[in-house]
Amino acid sequence: MKQAFAGILAGILLLFSLSGCAKKEDRRVYTQTFFEGFDTVSTLRAYADSQADFDRLADLFLDRLAYWNRLFDIYHDYEGISNLKTVNDRAGQAVKVDGEILSLLEFGREIHSITGGMTNIAMGSVLTLWHDCRESAKEHPESAHTPDPAALIAAAEHTDLSKMEIDRAASTVRLADPKMRLDVGAIAKGYAAGKIANALREAGMSDGTVNVGGNTVTVGRRPDGPWRVGIQNPDPDGDFLSVLGLSDLCLVTSGSYERYFEVGGVRYHHIIHPDTLYPVNLYLSVSVLSADSALCDGLSTALFNMEPDAGMALVESLDGVEALWMNADGSLTRSSGFAAYEEDSDEEV
Amino acid sequence: MKKFDWILILFVLGLAAALWGGWTLLHPASDAPVAIVRQDGETVERLPLDRDARITVGSPEGGYNTVVVEDGAVFVESADCPDKICVRTGNIREVGEVIACLPHRLSVTVESGEG
């Protein structure tokens, strides 16, 4: 019976090893999409060992998204906190705010300087006029209209960023011009995306991507290589403009094809030139790549309003920054180092 | 070896094969990606991209989005949201791509087919 016993044992071991082969790798990628925050869609994609582990990351994502959204919101008040709407509502007075708001505003100064004023967070009074026309066009498309030119010119008198006074010691910000308004739409999503990615990294996410309204931050990589990030084609029937292989890098795309309204068949999108006070239609889409998500966001706005030569010169002058422009005629222009990040678009993203 | 040994060996191998076969039947490996449709974070449909399909998802406030799978891709054919960005996104087919309808809190995500 010894042989039989050995045989049974071997058989049982064989059974167990076979079912072991059939078991799958626990660590895989999970995705979740969020609709709360910055009036846009956000997505988290991350490798996790279980649904429960991923849910922990997703909960943190949502928590952080709501946190930054509350602080940077210029349209809503939130019980118990002073945010950018508070600063705007009390223009002329010093308003005590969380140091995180001051950090964003200081970055606003930096990006204003880097872009020669093309990205200006003090353009709120002008942008409000366009925002209101866009909102009313949604409700009443038949009576859609662009802002009154005289109103635009008058509003533009109050867009001097140097009138924003920050006092770090007192933790206050004061808009010295009472008619000035801050609008951080050009930098807030990229800034927040970077902060959210950091929080997730600290919470243990080693490989994942954070996307807040077209602002993508990649952390780590996939088992097969870097994260593959596709740039959406404004034409719904077209292929990706480009697919990039990114690991611990950021990509931000600004486009004129989603947030716009029409007047008499002419489209007016949401990125407004600081001098002409109207949207510019040199490009359909501008993408910026670098290690800094907020920088990508701020630059994409500036580049949208800059002539090709000036925009290219700005990008080439910045270390570690690359860009892709989709011109109005559908052609693509790349900065010198952009192609090095491009991957074959045939494989799966 | 005795006859009993052979019977035992065959029995054990047969059992192992039956278990493996059963597992494979219960967990068929599919190469085709799957479109996961979520409403308010809850999965409402799993649509393999290798099978044409058309479904209409209603949102709590009474809105709708019609999601179609055709020729290995998925897209939102029609919707009654104001901007119809979901419709204008066009079709997606690569793992990781997402179509989203913000007013209806609907997302369509292409995921890998295994597991």
Side-chain angles (χ1 to χ4, degrees):
Chain A
M1 279 314 274
K2 244 212 272 192
Q3 264 182 321
F5 180 68
I8 291 168
L9 197 59
I12 290 168
L13 286 172
L14 182 66
L15 279 174
F16 279 131
S17 68
L18 272 178
S19 54
C21 279
K23 220 166 172 198
K24 301 200 163 58
E25 255 270 296
D26 282 339
R27 186 174 195 259
R28 67 170 182 87
V29 69
Y30 297 81
T31 303
Q32 189 160 330
T33 299
F34 306 87
F35 301 98
E36 303 84 343
F38 298 99
D39 191 29
T40 192
V41 178
S42 300
T43 303
L44 170 66
R45 238 173 124 58
Y47 279 88
D49 290 328
S50 66
Q51 183 70 56
D53 272 358
F54 177 75
D55 288 346
R56 239 190 350 105
L57 294 174
D59 287 345
L60 179 60
F61 184 107
L62 189 56
D63 175 85
R64 295 289 86 197
L65 185 65
Y67 173 78
W68 296 111
N69 178 65
R70 273 195 307 270
L71 287 179
F72 300 159
D73 200 333
I74 60 170
Y75 299 108
H76 306 98
D77 295 300
Y78 297 90
E79 181 86 39
I81 74 161
S82 293
N83 62 5
L84 286 178
K85 179 171 186 290
T86 320
V87 174
N88 281 340
D89 288 348
R90 297 193 205 157
Q93 306 165 44
V95 180
K96 191 154 189 215
V97 294
D98 192 304
E100 296 285 10
I101 287 180
L102 299 183
S103 297
L104 176 79
L105 299 181
E106 281 165 354
F107 176 74
R109 277 182 180 157
E110 239 188 270
I111 201 71
H112 183 277
S113 172
I114 292 172
T115 63
M118 291 304 286
T119 297
N120 181 6
I121 63 170
M123 270 183 73
S125 52
V126 169
L127 296 176
T128 295
L129 296 173
W130 281 101
H131 174 89
D132 291 346
C133 283
R134 201 162 54 240
E135 291 299 300
S136 94
K138 263 200 237 181
E139 303 285 317
H140 308 285
E142 357 48 76
S143 55
H145 59 279
T146 53
D148 170 37
L152 282 171
I153 292 168
E157 301 282 307
H158 305 283
T159 57
D160 183 355
L161 187 61
S162 68
K163 297 266 166 45
M164 178 181 77
E165 298 167 357
I166 293 175
D167 182 340
R168 271 288 187 179
S171 203
T172 63
V173 53
R174 174 173 176 255
L175 303 179
D177 176 348
K179 291 199 174 154
M180 189 162 113
R181 299 288 181 270
L182 297 176
D183 185 322
V184 294
I187 60 174
K189 294 199 290 282
Y191 190 96
K195 291 287 193 183
I196 293 169
N198 287 344
L200 290 171
R201 258 198 198 95
E202 277 163 33
M205 179 180 83
S206 56
D207 305 283
T209 69
V210 164
N211 184 305
V212 178
N215 294 247
T216 301
V217 181
T218 62
V219 174
R221 52 202 289 117
R222 300 174 307 140
D224 304 336
W227 285 101
R228 292 169 60 86
V229 181
I231 299 178
Q232 186 177 338
N233 192 326
D235 174 2
D237 298 324
D239 294 330
F240 288 117
L241 296 185
S242 176
V243 177
L244 302 166
L246 303 176
S247 179
D248 297 318
L249 289 172
C250 310
L251 182 84
V252 173
T253 299
S254 285
S256 60
Y257 51 90
E258 284 186 353
R259 204 176 291 263
Y260 62 85
F261 65 103
E262 284 184 7
V263 179
V266 179
R267 249 188 219 186
Y268 295 88
H269 66 83
H270 70 290
I271 303 169
I272 306 300
H273 193 291
D275 299 327
T276 70
L277 311 178
Y278 281 79
V280 166
N281 294 297
L282 291 169
Y283 319 108
L284 297 173
S285 170
V286 174
S287 298
V288 182
L289 185 169
S290 87
D292 181 334
S293 179
L295 179 65
C296 287
D297 200 4
L299 285 175
S300 70
T301 298
L303 293 178
F304 219 93
N305 287 325
M306 290 169 76
E307 296 285 330
D309 290 345
M312 182 65 80
L314 176 59
V315 171
E316 299 291 1
S317 77
L318 295 168
D319 237 3
V321 176
E322 303 296 340
L324 175 83
W325 292 255
M326 185 190 205
N327 305 304
D329 65 2
S331 62
L332 297 178
T333 304
R334 294 165 168 79
S335 61
S336 61
F338 191 88
Y341 295 97
E342 291 185 276
E343 302 219 325
D344 182 3
S345 49
D346 279 346
E347 299 159 34
E348 67 168 55
V349 170
Chain B
M1 283 208 284
K2 304 218 177 68
K3 190 176 170 190
F4 177 70
D5 294 332
W6 279 111
I7 293 171
L8 191 59
I9 286 166
L10 283 170
F11 172 76
V12 164
L13 283 174
L15 189 58
L19 280 172
W20 177 83
W23 176 276
T24 306
L25 276 172
L26 286 169
H27 298 82
S30 167
D31 282 340
V34 180
I36 315 278
V37 182
R38 292 192 184 94
Q39 162 74 62
D40 262 321
E42 299 296 317
T43 300
V44 295
E45 285 286 349
R46 299 177 62 94
L47 305 169
L49 294 190
D50 58 357
R51 199 184 313 153
D52 287 3
R54 169 180 275 101
I55 59 150
T56 297
V57 183
S59 65
E61 316 85 1
Y64 79 90
N65 301 75
T66 298
V67 180
V68 172
V69 175
E70 202 172 271
D71 297 334
V74 61
F75 57 98
V76 175
E77 185 183 70
S78 61
D80 62 351
C81 47
D83 296 332
K84 301 195 202 317
I85 291 178
C86 52
V87 178
R88 290 190 279 118
T89 302
N91 62 36
I92 59 172
R93 63 178 72 235
E94 310 284 354
V95 171
E97 288 192 81
V98 181
I99 302 172
C101 178
L102 182 53
H104 293 166
R105 294 175 311 287
L106 180 98
S107 70
V108 180
T109 309
V110 178
E111 298 289 350
S112 135
E114 303 118 349

